[in-house]
């Protein structure tokens, strides 16, 4: 009964393709996030949605587009994939105010662009 | 640019040793400081959320302290066990901010 689940776990694709990663949380949280783990293993925030509204939009290429159809889902679509997009992407959720933003993470999606 | 720094980068200790590591963060506009434990091939899990200067939190053999005036937090592990091997991340949340800024982590390896 996974709290934050993201699919797929592994994604291998060719340069130039478009791909999506899905994330769902069953914790009833109001905020969801996408993080990228870079080559130095830093976790860097990319996007955040609170109640379906975009509240964090860091400097990422506009080939990356998040979509939140409802509070429980936040998907990440990537257009025209490039070699540098290869990384592990983590979805997370939190109940922003009450818990001081404690993050609950998914298991990660390892994206490899060939 | 917000900077959250952790030291040391990695640590190798023997089973039974006690250890500690440091997280440094901006001392202005502080709201909260998080500690996470990240085991290999798993996802980060929250250990502590600390908000008040002088806060001290404890979970079993792991404890943490917070100094918001000088901008640092210590994580202590008493009597390290092999299952404590993980990366320990701290993350800073600014007042009126929405995003957590993570440090690079301290990798702990405990040898039996």
């Amino acid at each position: 009964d996974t709290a934050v689940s993201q699919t797929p776990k592994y994604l291998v694709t060719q340069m130039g393709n478009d791909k999506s990663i899905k994330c769902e949380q069953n914790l009833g949280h109001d905020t969801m996030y996408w993080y990228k783990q870079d080559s130095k293993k830093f976790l860097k925030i990319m996007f955040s949605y609170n109640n379906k509204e975009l509240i964090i939009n860091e400097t990422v290429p506009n080939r990356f587009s998040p979509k939140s159809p409802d509070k429980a889902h936040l998907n990440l679509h990537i257009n025209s994939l490039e070699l540098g997009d290869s990384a592990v992407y983590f979805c997370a959720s939190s109940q922003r105010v009450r818990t001081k933003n404690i993050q609950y993470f998914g298991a990660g999606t390892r994206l490899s662009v060939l | 640019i917000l900077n959250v720094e952790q030291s040391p980068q990695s640590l190798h200790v023997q089973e039974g040793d006690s250890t500690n590591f440091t997280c440094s963060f901006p001392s202005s506009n502080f709201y909260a400081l998080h500690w996470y434990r990240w085991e290999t091939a798993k996802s980060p899990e929250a250990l502590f959320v600390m908000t008040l200067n002088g806060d001290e939190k404890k979970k079993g053999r792991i404890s943490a302290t917070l100094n918001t005036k000088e901008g640092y937090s210590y994580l202590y592990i008493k009597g390290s066990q092999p299952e404590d091997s993980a990366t320990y991340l701290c993350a800073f949340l600014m007042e009126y901010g929405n995003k957590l800024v993570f440090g690079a982590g301290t990798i702990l390896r405990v040898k039996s």
Side-chain angles (χ1 to χ4, degrees):
Chain A
D1 197 19
T2 310
V4 181
S5 59
Q6 53 183 109
T7 54
K9 196 165 179 178
Y10 301 98
L11 188 50
V12 181
T13 188
Q14 299 287 330
M15 245 174 32
N17 283 350
D18 302 339
K19 290 291 177 188
S20 292
I21 309 172
K22 295 188 176 184
C23 181
E24 176 181 2
Q25 55 97 1
N26 62 8
L27 297 167
H29 287 166
D30 59 4
T31 308
M32 295 184 73
Y33 310 80
W34 277 110
Y35 288 89
K36 181 180 180 181
Q37 186 186 11
D38 68 16
S39 55
K40 293 184 181 176
K41 306 295 184 190
F42 270 98
L43 271 178
K44 289 197 173 163
I45 186 79
M46 298 172 71
F47 302 105
S48 177
Y49 272 75
N50 176 257
N51 287 319
K52 299 200 304 174
E53 183 189 341
L54 183 66
I55 58 169
I56 296 175
N57 187 359
E58 291 294 285
T59 309
V60 298
N62 57 16
R63 298 180 294 104
F64 289 77
S65 52
K67 283 200 173 41
S68 182
D70 55 57
K71 273 192 342 179
H73 296 85
L74 180 61
N75 303 323
L76 183 65
H77 189 75
I78 316 169
N79 285 331
S80 305
L81 277 154
E82 299 178 359
L83 292 175
D85 297 331
S86 296
V88 183
Y89 293 85
F90 286 92
C91 174
S93 72
S94 73
Q95 188 60 31
R96 200 152 64 101
V97 175
R98 197 163 33 86
T99 69
K100 303 287 190 290
N101 246 358
I102 294 178
Q103 310 276 290
Y104 291 77
F105 287 89
T109 295
R110 184 174 291 277
L111 172 65
S112 299
V113 183
L114 307 175
Chain B
I1 297 175
L2 290 176
N3 231 11
V4 177
E5 294 184 1
Q6 292 188 244
S7 61
Q9 196 172 15
S10 65
L11 204 47
H12 292 253
V13 302
Q14 288 295 131
E15 183 175 356
D17 286 351
S18 292
T19 186
N20 66 83
F21 15 96
T22 308
C23 172
S24 302
F25 52 86
S27 55
S28 55
N29 299 318
F30 176 86
Y31 187 60
L33 193 281
H34 295 194
W35 280 101
Y36 292 83
R37 183 166 177 272
W38 193 357
E39 289 181 76
T40 304
K42 293 189 178 178
S43 45
E45 288 185 359
L47 282 171
F48 306 115
V49 176
M50 309 176 80
T51 55
L52 299 175
N53 186 42
D55 241 355
E56 193 166 328
K57 300 262 180 171
K58 192 171 178 187
K59 192 184 272 190
R61 293 178 292 99
I62 305 177
S63 59
T65 60
L66 180 68
N67 183 323
T68 60
K69 293 190 189 313
E70 294 178 46
Y72 65 83
S73 175
Y74 293 136
L75 189 80
Y76 300 92
I77 302 179
K78 190 176 172 184
S80 303
Q81 299 296 308
E83 58 264 30
D84 295 329
S85 296
T87 298
Y88 291 84
L89 295 172
C90 70
F92 169 76
L93 183 61
M94 206 168 76
E95 198 174 16
Y96 308 121
N98 294 314
K99 70 175 184 183
L100 279 175
V101 179
F102 282 85
T106 293
I107 301 169
L108 175 67
R109 293 289 173 258
V110 183
K111 295 181 200 171
S112 54

